[in-house]
Amino acid sequence: MAIIYRTNILCSSQDMLWGTLGTVRPFSNFHPDRDAVAIQAAVDSKDTVTLVRILTNRNNAQRQVIAQTFEELTHKDLASSLKKCLSGDVETLLLSLLVPPVPYEAQRLQQAMAGLGTDEEALMEILCTRSGKQLEEIKAVYKELYKKDLAKELKGETSGDFEKLVLALLNKGNVAGVVQKDIELLSASLNGKKAEAGPWIDILTSRDSDHLNNVLMGLEMETGQTLEHILEKRFTGDFRLGLSILVQCIENPAAFLAKRLSTMKTPVVHGIMVSHSEEDLLCIRVAFLKLTGTSLYSALQKHFKQDHLQALLAICRSED
């Protein structure tokens, strides 16, 4: 039996209920046997339109039931069957929709570390926009899928202060702090010839976002400098990139994800839209429009085409 994983994602500074701000909702007139039969016919006739229509109009839990029903009816694996009749970007996207949420995040982390070089932005995106509880689930599933310890894998792909930041995020907690004391600690860390990374890592990975927003605003008032200026002038390399992403996610995670989407790079678009389709993609759509002056729906139409575009538009859902 397929395992159905469920997660709750942070939107702004509050824990949102599952599906509250997602674009993909449970299909109300759900009949998995009908869907399985229709998918089998579509696979046989290479009818991509039908495959896109069904898989983008069911939520992930329903897709797991469809996959199980498909296997019971046909004695074939749904993902393997799709691979035989699809290709390119639409294949990648529809196969991603079949992966349960937690394994999908584990898969994205693995892909960010695969091959030559590491995709630091992808790593930070996932680590910064997931709660400590969610990351515990991702760690467990990562070990199950890849027979490797995620912390050790991340340690092997990073170094120095950036490594410390990544590992602290992976094991993030929620420790109570005093706003003024945290402001003073961060301010003092900037006084030496070389800024101290330790207080930034300790504080920014162990407090809730409301507390941290107060701390960061207070730090700007204390120093008379913007955070962007502080990070740019006092830190370097991957650690500066990591801190910058973390700060953006503390201040407005939807705005950071919208900024990532605006690159219109296919792996980035797939990752964010699939991961957030049932969680907070509506938040991200609003942030995208504010950032770019163009709706996400329209931007997708300018950069993608054919069945791949139709699948992305179906996940996006509507014009803003």
Side-chain angles (χ1 to χ4, degrees), residues 223-277:
T223 61
Q225 301 176 58
T226 66
L227 277 167
E228 186 177 3
H229 180 82
I230 292 170
L231 298 180
E232 181 68 28
K233 295 299 181 183
R234 301 310 314 271
F235 300 102
T236 59
D238 289 343
F239 184 63
R240 178 170 65 192
L241 172 68
L243 269 189
S244 174
I245 291 172
L246 177 54
V247 166
Q248 289 176 68
C249 288
I250 290 165
E251 294 178 332
N252 191 333
F256 168 71
L257 292 168
K259 185 178 176 183
R260 290 266 288 157
L261 276 177
S262 69
T263 65
M264 286 292 140
K265 294 178 181 177
T266 300
V268 174
V269 171
H270 283 192
I272 293 173
M273 291 188 67
V274 172
S275 287
H276 294 268
S277 60

Side-chain angles (χ1 to χ4, degrees), residues 35-299:
D35 286 343
V37 169
I39 287 173
Q40 177 59 53
V43 166
D44 290 340
S45 61
K46 293 184 166 38
D47 178 4
T48 308
V49 173
T50 295
L51 295 174
V52 168
R53 176 179 59 79
I54 295 174
L55 294 175
T56 59
N57 279 285
R58 311 293 185 267
N59 72 353
N60 195 280
Q62 291 174 330
R63 291 182 211 119
Q64 303 310 314
V65 177
I66 291 169
Q68 181 184 335
T69 305
F70 183 90
E71 187 168 349
E72 290 169 354
L73 290 174
T74 66
H75 305 291
K76 295 176 183 176
D77 176 68
L78 178 53
S80 299
S81 297
L82 292 179
K83 288 178 184 178
K84 292 178 181 177
C85 71
L86 297 171
S87 62
D89 292 331
V90 71
E91 175 191 343
T92 303
L93 180 57
L94 293 187
L95 289 175
S96 295
L97 291 174
L98 291 181
V99 183
V102 177
Y104 186 61
E105 297 304 273
Q107 179 180 303
R108 292 182 69 208
L109 286 169
Q110 194 274 335
Q111 289 171 347
M113 295 184 282
L116 294 173
T118 302
D119 187 344
E120 290 87 1
E121 287 194 36
L123 290 180
M124 289 299 297
E125 176 205 314
I126 296 167
L127 294 173
C128 291
T129 57
R130 298 303 185 256
S131 68
K133 182 180 178 183
Q134 290 166 333
L135 289 169
E136 286 299 319
E137 294 176 358
I138 291 168
K139 279 191 285 188
V141 171
Y142 190 96
K143 190 156 194 174
E144 184 182 329
L145 289 175
Y146 302 108
K147 312 304 178 192
K148 294 177 180 178
D149 181 79
L150 180 54
K152 289 181 181 177
E153 292 289 286
L154 288 168
K155 196 169 184 178
E157 294 290 327
T158 55
S159 61
D161 290 332
F162 182 60
E163 175 194 318
K164 294 173 185 174
L165 176 63
V166 165
L167 293 177
L169 283 167
L170 183 64
N171 299 293
K172 68 177 71 166
N174 192 354
V175 180
V178 177
V179 170
Q180 188 56 41
K181 183 179 179 183
D182 284 348
I183 292 169
E184 290 169 2
L185 286 169
L186 292 180
S187 182
S189 76
L190 302 170
N191 289 338
K193 189 172 182 180
K194 182 181 178 184
E196 296 176 53
W200 289 81
I201 296 171
D202 293 343
I203 293 169
L204 268 60
T205 64
S206 66
R207 311 282 196 268
D208 66 56
S209 56
D210 287 338
H211 175 96
L212 289 173
N213 272 304
N214 289 327
V215 169
L216 296 176
M217 284 190 290
L219 182 65
E220 288 188 333
M221 293 177 67
E222 177 94 8
T223 61
Q225 301 176 58
T226 66
L227 277 167
E228 186 177 3
H229 180 82
I230 292 170
L231 298 180
E232 181 68 28
K233 295 299 181 183
R234 301 310 314 271
F235 300 102
T236 59
D238 289 343
F239 184 63
R240 178 170 65 192
L241 172 68
L243 269 189
S244 174
I245 291 172
L246 177 54
V247 166
Q248 289 176 68
C249 288
I250 290 165
E251 294 178 332
N252 191 333
F256 168 71
L257 292 168
K259 185 178 176 183
R260 290 266 288 157
L261 276 177
S262 69
T263 65
M264 286 292 140
K265 294 178 181 177
T266 300
V268 174
V269 171
H270 283 192
I272 293 173
M273 291 188 67
V274 172
S275 287
H276 294 268
S277 60
E278 295 180 44
E279 300 158 355
D280 56 357
L281 191 52
L282 289 175
C283 292
I284 299 166
R285 273 176 30 185
V286 170
F288 188 93
L289 180 61
K290 185 176 181 181
L291 174 72
T292 67
T294 303
S295 72
L296 178 58
Y297 199 88
S298 293

